[in-house]
Amino acid sequence: MTAPLRALSNTGHDPLWQTREDLAAAYRLVHRLGLDDSIYTHISARLPGSHERFLINPYGMRFEEVKASNLVTVDIDGQVVDDPLGLGINPAGFTIHSAIHSARPDVVCVLHTHTVAGVAVSCQQDGLLPLNQWSMQFTDRIAYHTYEGIALDLDERRRLTADLGDKMVFMLRNHGLLTCGRSVAEAFKLMHNLERSCRAQLAIQSAGAAIVPPPPGIPEKTAGQYEKLYNKLETGGGPDIEWEAFKRMLERTDPDFRT
């Protein structure tokens, strides 16, 4: 058995520690942007080279308290492999995240939120509408899942993954938002734009003015442009300067996320 993950140090070259740093950064950024919900919701990241284990937050900690060294390692069956603080994990978080990590080996990171805007749009019959550049990114690229109560029933995992299919963006009806990523960076950036799309939709709808629809074909064109950019970044087509900029924002006030 390998040594406890908390004993690893940040050498700057360790893929596992880099995953831990990026995941901790995502937790801190979600808090900084006001997308967290007390100690609830979750972000998980698959361990490099492993389809059987992933990292998730200790249950009971606020997102601004999460750092690279206190993340919990859990396997697909729910067994805690390493728990530096002994706090365990949220069972509802395990249900949703283990379902996706089990079914989708292409997904490294799963990010779930309960924001006011995300929940509000998840309650609308038509879901997210392609009304602006942010939301056009998700044209025909969002999956929807009917609410079944708090996600404590492991049997729901089958329905979650069936509804998600091969998409990277998930709207959980009457519940909230979820994004997947081939990296922590991708999942976070998708959520950042998805959240802004929901906020913009609510603002547009509340204004009561006539809505200007985009020209035919433009939503799909825009989605393709975003997709091309993300694919380039995820296949080594250059540094992710947006993600690095987000992390620099943390460095000024929350540098301990790396520890």
Side-chain angles (χ1 to χ4, degrees), residues 34 40 44 46-47 87 101 109 121 125 148 174 193 200 220 227 234 237 245:
Y40 303 105
S44 63
R46 189 190 307 276
L47 269 61
L87 296 176
H101 284 300
C109 181
V121 174
Q125 184 171 343
E148 299 187 22
N174 314 100
N193 279 348
E220 177 58 36
E227 210 163 54
E234 294 302 323

Coordinates of all heavy atoms in Angstrom, one line a residue, residues 34 40 44 46-47 87 101 109 121 125 148 174 193 200 220 227 234 237 245:
G34 N -18.7 33.3 -4.7 CA -20.0 33.2 -4.1 C -20.8 32.1 -4.7 O -22.1 32.1 -4.6
Y40 N -22.0 22.3 1.8 CA -22.6 21.4 0.9 C -22.1 21.7 -0.5 O -21.4 22.7 -0.8 CB -24.1 21.5 1.0 CG -24.6 21.2 2.4 CD1 -25.0 22.3 3.2 CD2 -24.5 19.9 2.9 CE1 -25.4 22.0 4.5 CE2 -24.9 19.7 4.2 CZ -25.3 20.7 5.0 OH -25.7 20.5 6.3
S44 N -14.9 17.2 -7.3 CA -14.0 16.0 -7.2 C -13.0 15.9 -8.3 O -13.3 16.5 -9.4 CB -14.8 14.7 -7.1 OG -15.5 14.5 -8.3
R46 N -10.3 13.1 -10.3 CA -9.8 11.7 -10.4 C -8.3 11.8 -10.2 O -7.6 12.7 -10.7 CB -10.1 11.1 -11.8 CG -9.8 9.7 -11.9 CD -9.9 9.3 -13.4 NE -11.2 9.6 -14.0 CZ -12.2 8.8 -13.9 NH1 -12.2 7.7 -13.2 NH2 -13.4 9.2 -14.5
L47 N -7.7 10.8 -9.4 CA -6.3 10.7 -9.3 C -5.6 10.4 -10.6 O -6.2 9.6 -11.4 CB -5.9 9.6 -8.3 CG -5.8 10.1 -6.8 CD1 -7.1 10.6 -6.3 CD2 -5.3 8.9 -5.9
L87 N -12.5 13.5 8.9 CA -13.9 14.0 8.8 C -14.8 13.2 7.9 O -16.0 13.4 7.9 CB -13.8 15.5 8.3 CG -13.1 16.5 9.3 CD1 -13.0 17.9 8.7 CD2 -13.8 16.5 10.6
H101 N -17.7 9.4 -12.2 CA -16.3 8.9 -12.3 C -16.3 7.5 -12.8 O -15.4 7.0 -13.5 CB -15.5 9.1 -11.0 CG -15.1 10.5 -10.8 ND1 -14.2 11.2 -11.6 CD2 -15.4 11.4 -9.8 CE1 -14.0 12.4 -11.1 NE2 -14.7 12.5 -10.0
C109 N -12.6 15.8 -13.7 CA -13.2 16.7 -12.6 C -14.7 16.8 -12.7 O -15.2 16.9 -13.8 CB -12.5 18.0 -12.6 SG -13.1 19.2 -11.3
V121 N -32.9 28.5 -12.7 CA -33.0 28.1 -14.1 C -33.3 26.6 -14.2 O -34.0 26.2 -15.1 CB -31.8 28.5 -14.9 CG1 -31.8 27.9 -16.3 CG2 -31.6 30.0 -14.9
Q125 N -39.0 25.2 -17.1 CA -39.3 24.1 -18.0 C -38.4 24.0 -19.2 O -37.9 22.9 -19.6 CB -40.8 24.2 -18.5 CG -41.2 23.0 -19.4 CD -42.7 23.1 -19.7 OE1 -43.4 23.7 -19.0 NE2 -43.1 22.3 -20.7
E148 N -34.9 13.6 -7.7 CA -35.3 12.4 -7.0 C -35.2 12.5 -5.5 O -35.3 11.5 -4.8 CB -34.5 11.2 -7.5 CG -34.7 10.9 -9.0 CD -34.0 9.6 -9.4 OE1 -33.8 8.7 -8.5 OE2 -33.7 9.4 -10.6
N174 N -34.6 21.3 -10.4 CA -35.0 21.6 -9.0 C -33.9 21.5 -8.0 O -34.1 21.4 -6.8 CB -36.2 20.8 -8.6 CG -37.3 20.7 -9.6 OD1 -37.4 19.7 -10.3 ND2 -38.1 21.8 -9.8
N193 N -18.9 30.0 -16.7 CA -19.8 30.5 -17.8 C -21.2 30.1 -17.6 O -22.2 30.8 -18.0 CB -19.2 30.1 -19.1 CG -18.1 31.0 -19.6 OD1 -17.9 32.1 -19.0 ND2 -17.4 30.6 -20.6
A200 N -27.6 35.8 -16.2 CA -28.0 36.7 -17.3 C -29.4 36.4 -17.7 O -30.2 37.3 -18.0 CB -27.0 36.6 -18.5
E220 N -25.3 27.5 -32.5 CA -24.5 26.3 -32.7 C -23.1 26.7 -33.2 O -22.1 26.1 -32.8 CB -25.1 25.5 -33.8 CG -24.3 24.3 -34.2 CD -24.0 23.3 -33.1 OE1 -24.8 23.2 -32.2 OE2 -22.9 22.7 -33.1
E227 N -16.0 25.1 -28.1 CA -15.6 23.7 -28.1 C -14.2 23.5 -28.7 O -13.4 22.8 -28.2 CB -16.6 22.8 -28.9 CG -16.8 21.4 -28.4 CD -18.1 20.8 -28.9 OE1 -18.3 20.8 -30.2 OE2 -18.9 20.3 -28.1
E234 N -7.2 21.2 -24.0 CA -7.1 19.9 -23.3 C -6.3 18.9 -24.0 O -6.0 17.8 -23.5 CB -8.5 19.4 -23.2 CG -9.4 20.2 -22.2 CD -8.8 20.3 -20.8 OE1 -8.3 19.3 -20.3 OE2 -8.9 21.4 -20.2
G237 N -2.6 22.1 -26.6 CA -2.4 23.2 -27.6 C -2.0 24.5 -27.1 O -2.2 25.5 -27.7
A245 N -4.7 32.7 -14.7 CA -5.1 34.0 -14.1 C -6.0 33.9 -12.9 O -5.8 34.6 -12.0 CB -5.8 34.8 -15.2

